Amino acid sequence: MKIIPLPASAERQKKKRASLARADACYSVGVIAFAVLAVLCTLAVFVTVIVFEFKSAEGNLLYLLMGVFAGCAIAFALGAFGLNLLGRRHRAAELDFRERCVGEESFFVGEGVLAVFTPSGLSIRGETGDKEPIRVPYSEMRFFSVCTRRAPKEKGEWSVVLEIPAHYLSKKGGKGRGEEKPALVQTDAKPRLYETLARHGLTLLGERQEEGSKPASFTLVRKFILPEKKKRTRSLAVMVLSVLLMAGGGLAGVFWNPAAGALLGAVGLFAAARSLTSFVRAKGVLVVVNRPDVARFE
């Protein structure tokens, strides 16, 4: 992650935060614009094919238009992907900069919420500091190192989970102590956080992130597929409507207006493809693996 230098004065820090926020907004707008253009060019390919089915025209012109629209769709899709990747990196650097504006031992644990390590305990406060912070003694907390993996492989997203007694975050205050499960708060893992934990003598439990270590092998023990019925039902309903829209577009193209029918059919086809993808992905997968070289949670 890129480390942005921290200006000395508070005024310059404020200006730098505003500049980074504007750049983040530009990345977001660029991703949306490129994605919309990619979708429009993809629809244009289908519209071109359907329109040329009803009108006699040069075959070379058809292939030329299809090639141009398909090439533009691919280029815009790649542009959206690249901007999204750059935007995520910029966002990570921006959040780190905003954390360090508050202090070298402060870390985001939510939107506008910071966990600040102090000599007496953890202080949970807003970024603006306009409200009274919540103070939690270290003796009542635990810290876990977690790697979120989308597949049984070494690579994943590392984070540190803070286990905090629920009564500190509950509106009830001190009532109901010991009755509620502890709250789990997640923050991004980074060298500065590891150094902060070590400086305060706090033990980090769980899997360790070891730089430069040889990737370990994972042995699949069991896989559980858990379909999400509500999402699948919603996706199926959208799929049926999309098929009806495609059929309506075909009838409109034959008996009314070929261009309008082609556009309706293309929209229906795109919506059907999206709903089919959503239907397939509407599931949870729990994978149990065995990795002998990693110590279990302490």
Side-chain angles (χ1 to χ4, degrees):
M1 181 184 64
K2 179 183 177 182
I3 304 298
I4 302 175
L6 191 66
S9 64
E11 184 179 354
R12 293 181 61 185
Q13 290 178 9
K14 184 177 180 180
K15 291 182 179 180
K16 186 63 176 180
R17 284 199 303 269
S19 175
L20 293 173
R22 288 192 297 269
D24 185 56
C26 290
Y27 277 115
S28 299
V29 171
V31 170
I32 295 174
F34 274 84
V36 170
L37 290 173
V39 171
L40 292 177
C41 288
T42 303
L43 291 176
V45 173
F46 293 108
V47 172
T48 302
V49 173
I50 297 175
V51 169
F52 272 75
E53 286 293 325
F54 294 97
K55 292 186 178 182
S56 58
E58 291 289 337
N60 292 336
L61 179 60
L62 169 64
Y63 297 137
L64 177 62
L65 289 176
M66 286 181 59
V68 170
F69 287 133
C72 290
I74 294 173
F76 286 133
L78 291 175
F81 177 80
L83 278 179
N84 182 58
L85 191 62
L86 292 174
R88 290 177 61 184
R89 294 177 180 175
H90 172 83
R91 179 66 174 169
E94 179 196 0
L95 290 176
D96 182 76
F97 178 83
R98 287 164 54 188
E99 289 173 347
R100 289 184 290 114
C101 285
V102 176
E104 287 294 327
E105 296 188 344
S106 63
F107 307 90
F108 275 111
V109 292
E111 187 65 32
V113 180
L114 287 163
V116 182
F117 288 80
T118 67
S120 58
L122 188 72
S123 175
I124 301 176
R125 45 157 288 183
E127 185 178 4
T128 56
D130 53 349
K131 294 183 179 181
E132 184 69 20
I134 299 172
R135 304 187 186 280
V136 187
Y138 294 133
S139 59
E140 299 185 36
M141 296 179 59
R142 291 195 299 174
F143 303 86
F144 298 94
S145 175
V146 177
C147 182
T148 304
R149 297 181 172 92
R150 301 184 182 274
K153 58 183 181 180
E154 187 72 20
K155 189 178 180 180
E157 296 181 3
W158 288 88
S159 61
V160 173
V161 176
L162 287 62
E163 184 185 82
I164 303 173
H167 62 84
Y168 283 104
L169 305 178
S170 175
K171 293 182 179 179
K172 298 179 182 179
K175 298 181 180 180
R177 292 196 179 194
E179 298 178 2
E180 301 180 26
K181 293 182 179 179
L184 300 177
V185 180
Q186 180 176 328
T187 184
D188 294 335
K190 56 185 68 176
R192 184 164 56 87
L193 176 56
Y194 294 141
E195 294 170 0
T196 299
L197 293 171
R199 192 157 44 242
H200 289 275
L202 302 173
T203 303
L204 183 62
L205 308 174
E207 186 177 358
R208 303 298 193 272
Q209 182 178 9
E210 298 179 4
E211 297 291 341
S213 60
K214 184 179 178 180
S217 59
F218 291 79
T219 303
L220 179 63
V221 177
R222 191 77 181 272
K223 180 185 289 188
F224 300 92
I225 306 296
L226 309 172
E228 298 184 21
K229 293 183 179 180
K230 290 185 178 180
K231 288 186 178 181
R232 287 200 165 183
T233 302
R234 186 164 56 247
S235 299
L236 189 60
V238 175
M239 195 183 306
V240 172
L241 293 176
S242 302
V243 172
L244 292 177
L245 183 61
M246 291 170 60
L251 294 175
V254 174
F255 297 104
W256 178 47
N257 188 307
L263 181 59
L264 289 175
V267 172
L269 180 62
F270 179 76
R274 284 291 305 271
S275 59
L276 179 61
T277 303
S278 300
F279 181 84
V280 173
R281 291 182 176 179
K283 61 182 179 180
V285 181
L286 175 62
V287 179
V288 181
V289 298
N290 181 29
R291 183 180 169 188
D293 66 316
V294 175
R296 303 304 178 198
F297 282 94
E298 300 177 12

